[in-house]
């Protein structure tokens, strides 16, 4: 149950009653009416802006409308106090019994708590990672991979039909370099002394098995072929091997894509030409000459007629080229065709997760998708800033081209999948993130993944102790019927209120496409639980297990069992396995 959405409905019902009484005109747009936590918790549990946003269209003064609405809301069974603040905000305080009554919902739902139907089965395509298949995944890929996967989990949680997709860039110049690098390793596998890897080729040892595979499959025959034919075989073998490597790397993080879409297949199918013909028929393509780039003009720039897309008609700064001077497509042309293909597969919302170095490409892609889908597709790009890797405060250097980069597997092997995934979501995606191997393993409040997991493990420790020491039925069904009215301390109620707000947090995070909000929420929830634990240490009457008071014990065990479920639900969105016992 999303309590805030429930009270939005109650506010709308109260407004409807005022309309029936003639106190408000009919036909008011309720879309902007919201119920949220008040900025100052001392003002109450809920706050609504209804009077503020409806006063003008209703021809009323905000405070006068607020007073009328407050009178209506004061009759709600769960409401114990209503007040009007400032120019017309309405604050509500709810009966503690209302909050406590939410615990059975949490206990019955378990780790599925917070699930909703916001998406109503709408198709969403989330494309993430999409690293060039030229080597194993390195630490620079990790953040986008985790972010995209957690976002997909989040959207599924609220009822969207999500496709997790990887775009294989297997048609560009880097693939040509990969093929040449593989042929060099092939010659090495045949016993040739290849010496130092030439500048411009990939030097990593990960290509040695590719060379060995080529040698085993083809013997010396590639040496006798035309170079183009040998490169074609090397390209196909190397890309397949690199994608197998990448799939394995992603699996280490618990990431499995449903679709791997080949750029090369897009070209071979004629989809690029078909898409550009569609745009031409719409009058969105023309032959023209672009203005020189702003700032310092490159020496090789020349004004020449080009095939251009009318990107400025859809909010871009300039129209964009679709063909190079040699007649081949720019990167932009197949990207348009690829996103149209996603839309035609039934996905009305397209989300791309990109690295920070691609942020300048957003406007043109947004314009192209608006043009090619007639404005019917929603397109969102989430840019992930760099991860800066440290060890005891000292930067860890890496260079993919030098072959000594830090791989994804290196990081996961050292600190564990759950730690990597959680830590990648402890900052908003567009803010830089520092990852220190030493700090992420600290057992302290400053380490958010430990702090959250410790709360979950502490709860299970209490439950194990209760099972060993007392005659308690600790099943969720039994705890849902515990005498929850015994939960009266403010720290207990604060924890319940925070847990009851989880469905709202999930919805807000899903709407904003921001899974880091769940990590932040879990830290706050862990803090509230640890505060309650510490309060019980100082005040014995508030301990979770009171052998002389079975009712109070059962109520508190129900409370913390529900907290464990909420933590598990949140960690599930992040793709992190909850821990029941700390080592």
């Amino acid at each position: 149950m999303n309590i805030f959405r429930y009270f939005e409905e109650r506010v709308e019902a109260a407004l409807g009653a005022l309309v029936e009484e003639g106190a408000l005109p009919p036909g008011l747009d309720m879309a902007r009416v919201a119920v949220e936590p008040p900025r100052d918790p001392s003002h109450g549990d809920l706050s609504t802006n209804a009077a503020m946003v409806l006063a003008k269209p209703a021809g009323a003064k905000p405070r006068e409308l607020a007073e009328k609405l407050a009178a209506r809301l004061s009759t709600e069974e769960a409401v114990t106090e209503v007040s009007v603040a400032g120019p017309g905000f309405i604050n509500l305080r709810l009966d503690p019994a209302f909050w406590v009554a939410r615990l059975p919902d949490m206990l019955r739902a378990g780790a599925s708590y917070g699930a909703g139907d916001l998406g109503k089965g709408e198709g969403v395509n989330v494309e993430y990672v999409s690293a060039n298949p030229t080597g194993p995944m390195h630490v620079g890929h990790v953040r986008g991979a985790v972010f995209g996967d957690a976002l997909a989990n989040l959207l599924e949680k609220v009822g969207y039909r999500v496709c997790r997709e990887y775009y294989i860039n297997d048609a560009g110049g880097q693939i040509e370099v990969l093929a040449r690098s593989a042929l060099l390793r092939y010659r090495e596998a045949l016993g040739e002394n290849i010496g130092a890897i030439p500048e411009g080729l990939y030097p990593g040892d990960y290509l040695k098995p590719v060379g060995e595979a080529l040698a085993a499959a083809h013997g010396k025959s590639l040496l006798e072929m035309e170079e183009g034919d040998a490169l074609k075989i090397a390209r196909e073998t190397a890309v397949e091997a690199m994608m197998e490597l990448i799939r394995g790397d992603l699996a280490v993080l618990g990431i499995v894509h449903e679709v791997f879409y080949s750029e090369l297949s897009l070209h071979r199918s004629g989809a690029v030409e078909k898409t550009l013909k569609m745009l031409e028929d719409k009058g969105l393509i023309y032959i023209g000459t672009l203005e020189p780039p702003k700032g310092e003009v490159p020496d090789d720039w020349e004004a020449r007629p080009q095939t251009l897309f009318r990107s400025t008609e859809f909010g871009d700064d300039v129209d964009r080229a679709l063909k190079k001077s040699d007649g081949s497509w720019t990167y932009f042309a197949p990207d348009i065709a690829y996103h149209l293909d996603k839309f035609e597969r039934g996905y009305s919302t397209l989300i791309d997760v990109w690295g920070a170095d691609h942020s300048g490409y957003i406007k043109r892609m947004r314009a192209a998708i608006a043009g090619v889908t007639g404005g019917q597709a929603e397109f969102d790009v989430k840019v992930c800033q760099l991860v800066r890797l440290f060890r005891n405060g000292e930067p860890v250097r890496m260079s993919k081209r030098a072959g000594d980069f830090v791989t994804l597997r290196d990081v996961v092997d050292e600190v564990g999948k759950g730690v990597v995934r959680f830590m990648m979501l402890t900052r908003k995606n567009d803010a830089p993130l520092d990852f220190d191997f030493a700090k992420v393993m600290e057992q302290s409040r400053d380490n958010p993944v430990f702090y959250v997991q410790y709360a979950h493990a502490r709860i299970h420790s209490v439950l194990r102790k209760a099972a060993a020491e007392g005659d308690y039925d600790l099943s969720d069904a039994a705890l849902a019927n515990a005498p929850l009215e015994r939960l009266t301390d403010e720290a207990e109620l604060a924890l319940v209120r925070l847990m009851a707000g989880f469905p709202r947090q999930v919805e807000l995070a899903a709407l904003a496409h921001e899974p880091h909000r769940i990590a932040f929420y879990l830290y706050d929830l862990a803090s509230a639980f640890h505060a309650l634990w510490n309060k019980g240490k100082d005040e014995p009457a508030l301990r979770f297990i009171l052998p002389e008071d079975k009712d109070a014990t059962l109520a508190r065990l129900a409370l913390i069992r529900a907290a464990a479920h909420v933590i598990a639900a949140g960690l599930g969105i992040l793709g992190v396995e909850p821990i029941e016992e700390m080592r």
Side-chain angles (χ1 to χ4, degrees), residues 54 58 70 72-73 75 89 134 190 193 201 208 214 222 363 365 387 390 422 510 517 520-522 532 553 562:
L54 295 179
R72 277 280 173 185
L73 293 173
T75 64
F89 287 102
T134 55
L190 292 176
N193 183 3
L201 297 186
K208 286 185 177 182
L214 287 168
L222 299 186
K363 276 190 175 181
M365 231 24 259
V387 176
F390 294 86
F422 196 104
R517 295 189 185 202
F520 289 9
Y521 168 86
L522 288 175
L532 182 57
T553 298

Side-chain angles (χ1 to χ4, degrees), residues 518-569:
I518 303 302
F520 289 9
Y521 168 86
L522 288 175
Y523 186 85
D524 290 342
L525 179 58
S527 297
F529 169 76
H530 290 306
L532 182 57
W533 171 285
N534 291 327
K535 193 170 184 180
K537 285 176 62 178
D538 297 334
E539 302 177 39
L542 291 176
R543 289 176 181 170
F544 299 128
I545 301 174
L546 297 175
E548 71 284 359
D549 192 339
K550 186 173 183 178
D551 282 356
T553 298
L554 286 172
R556 289 170 185 169
L557 293 177
L559 170 63
I560 64 171
R561 176 74 170 178
H565 285 326
V566 179
I567 292 172

Side-chain angles (χ1 to χ4, degrees), residues 444-557:
S444 74
R445 179 173 182 153
D446 294 332
N447 178 359
V449 62
F450 165 78
Y451 200 57
V452 172
Q453 290 282 30
Y454 188 34
H456 190 267
R458 262 185 163 177
I459 291 169
H460 279 273
S461 175
V462 174
L463 293 172
R464 286 192 297 271
K465 183 178 180 183
E469 295 181 358
D471 180 23
Y472 306 113
D473 184 346
L474 300 180
S475 66
D476 288 328
L479 291 176
N481 292 310
L484 301 176
E485 67 277 3
R486 295 297 302 275
L487 299 173
T488 58
D489 186 79
E490 182 50 42
E492 294 171 334
L493 296 174
L495 182 60
V496 176
R497 282 193 290 266
L498 189 56
M499 293 191 294
F502 180 65
R504 174 178 179 269
Q505 290 297 329
V506 172
E507 281 196 10
L508 291 176
L511 288 169
H513 299 165
E514 293 183 345
H516 73 274
R517 295 189 185 202
I518 303 302
F520 289 9
Y521 168 86
L522 288 175
Y523 186 85
D524 290 342
L525 179 58
S527 297
F529 169 76
H530 290 306
L532 182 57
W533 171 285
N534 291 327
K535 193 170 184 180
K537 285 176 62 178
D538 297 334
E539 302 177 39
L542 291 176
R543 289 176 181 170
F544 299 128
I545 301 174
L546 297 175
E548 71 284 359
D549 192 339
K550 186 173 183 178
D551 282 356
T553 298
L554 286 172
R556 289 170 185 169
L557 293 177

Side-chain angles (χ1 to χ4, degrees), residues 70-102:
R72 277 280 173 185
L73 293 173
S74 66
T75 64
E76 291 288 331
E77 183 179 356
V79 175
T80 60
E81 181 184 336
V82 183
S83 61
V84 178
F89 287 102
I90 303 171
N91 295 319
L92 309 176
R93 194 176 301 280
L94 305 183
D95 190 328
F98 175 84
W99 293 109
V100 170
R102 309 280 69 79

Side-chain angles (χ1 to χ4, degrees), residues 110-117 152-160 502 506 569-570 573:
S112 67
Y113 181 63
D117 63 352
N153 291 341
L154 180 61
L155 293 170
E156 285 180 337
K157 183 85 171 179
V158 296
Y160 288 94
F502 180 65
V506 172
I573 292 170

Side-chain angles (χ1 to χ4, degrees), residues 111 453 456-457 460 564 567-569 571-572 575-581:
Q453 290 282 30
H456 190 267
H460 279 273
I567 292 172
L571 289 175
V576 178
E577 189 74 24
I579 294 173
E580 294 188 3
E581 191 170 2

